[in-house]
Amino acid sequence: MAQNAFTNPMFDWWQQQWMKGANPMAKAQLAWMESLAEALQFEAQFVRAIAESGERMARCFDGEQPTTSEEVQACYEKLVKEVGDAQMKRLEQATQLTHDFRKRLWEEI
């Protein structure tokens, strides 16, 4: 998996040097940027889940195709459940983000 910009050793060193003289507003901005990076990561995970679901849907009709409406329905139901689960996970992570952001902001104050 690709290395995240916020786990890069050079970024960590730069952040430490920069924070030594940074004012509180810059620290608050950093907390906001970290929360934004997490939100973007969660959105990317959701988009990936949707893409994988679409790929599996295509496989339902690739090769041996469903012969009955029940088989098609079973395939759709499985995929709808997977996307629904991904959406629920996305919502849980979004609600946690506001808590994490407040915590980060409070720590910086």
Side-chain angles (χ1 to χ4, degrees):
M1 185 173 268
Q3 189 176 24
N4 186 338
F6 291 104
T7 60
N8 184 323
M10 186 65 176
F11 178 78
D12 292 340
W13 175 86
W14 175 83
Q15 179 183 2
Q16 290 171 1
Q17 301 306 313
W18 183 68
M19 294 300 279
K20 286 180 182 176
N23 61 32
M25 195 63 172
K27 291 180 181 181
Q29 184 179 12
L30 179 62
W32 177 80
M33 289 175 59
E34 288 172 346
S35 292
L36 180 63
E38 286 180 14
L40 291 174
Q41 181 181 6
F42 298 149
E43 287 300 306
Q45 290 171 353
F46 179 67
V47 169
R48 180 179 177 184
I50 291 174
E52 289 172 352
S53 177
E55 182 181 343
R56 283 192 286 282
M57 177 55 72
R59 276 193 239 134
C60 283
F61 298 101
D62 189 24
E64 189 176 322
Q65 296 182 358
T67 56
T68 65
S69 60
E70 289 83 15
E71 291 175 354
V72 173
Q73 181 179 352
C75 186
Y76 276 122
E77 286 176 357
K78 181 180 178 186
L79 296 172
V80 166
K81 182 183 180 328
E82 289 174 4
V83 171
D85 291 345
Q87 175 66 1
M88 288 304 294
K89 182 179 178 183
R90 176 184 181 211
L91 291 174
E92 289 171 12
Q93 292 170 331
T95 57
Q96 185 63 33
L97 271 178
T98 58
H99 175 71
D100 291 345
F101 175 67
R102 284 186 221 148
K103 182 180 174 186
R104 282 186 185 126
L105 195 56
W106 183 252
E107 288 173 356
E108 294 305 330
I109 293 175

